[in-house]
Amino acid sequence: MGAQLAAQPVRVVFFEDDSIGVSEEAKAVILDAVAVARRYPGAPVRVLGFSAPEPGLAPTVALSRARAERVVNEMVAAGVPRAQITQQGRGAVAFDAAPIQSRRVEIHIGGN
C-alpha cells in the first residue's frame, strides 16, 4: 500500500478569480481524489488552498482558506471521513506565466 500511495499524483482544482465555485471539471478532480482516499481509508489527505496575489494579505488568506474548505466539504459529502482530512489556506502565490495556477487547491493523498 505504501508504494501505491507514494506514487499518487497531487490533484489540483482550479478556481475562477475571487470565487469558491466548483466547476464540473473541478468536481471530476475532487471525485478522483475521493476514490483514492476511500481506497486507502487510513491515508492522510492534505488540502492546501492558494489564491492570486492581491493588495492586502488578509483577503487572499481568507479566500485560500475558503477554497480549501469548499474542496474538503465536497470530499466529505462524497464519503471521505472528515477526520482523514487536514486543510490549510496558504494565501497568495504568484504565477506570472499562468495566473490560474495561483487560484488553486492541491489535494495530497498519502505522503506526497
Side-chain angles (χ1 to χ4, degrees):
M1 176 170 103
Q4 291 170 328
L5 274 176
Q8 288 298 315
V10 174
R11 278 122 177 117
V12 182
V13 177
F14 294 105
F15 291 85
E16 296 296 321
D17 277 333
D18 299 322
S19 174
I20 63 167
V22 177
S23 67
E24 290 302 314
E25 183 178 329
K27 285 181 185 178
V29 172
I30 293 168
L31 290 176
D32 178 58
V34 165
V36 174
R38 291 182 70 187
R39 194 175 321 135
Y40 302 102
V45 178
R46 291 183 305 128
V47 176
L48 307 175
F50 298 90
S51 59
E54 299 289 337
L57 182 60
T60 62
V61 173
L63 180 58
S64 68
R65 286 182 184 147
R67 287 175 173 161
E69 183 69 25
R70 178 65 191 266
V71 170
V72 168
N73 289 340
E74 294 281 334
M75 293 183 76
V76 169
V80 178
R82 180 63 180 93
Q84 189 176 350
I85 306 170
T86 60
Q87 72 184 60
Q88 182 179 17
R90 303 294 298 268
V93 60
F95 272 88
D96 294 331
I100 195 168
Q101 293 290 328
S102 299
R103 302 185 310 264
R104 73 185 189 281
V105 167
E106 296 177 355
I107 305 169
H108 299 255
I109 303 172
N112 65 4

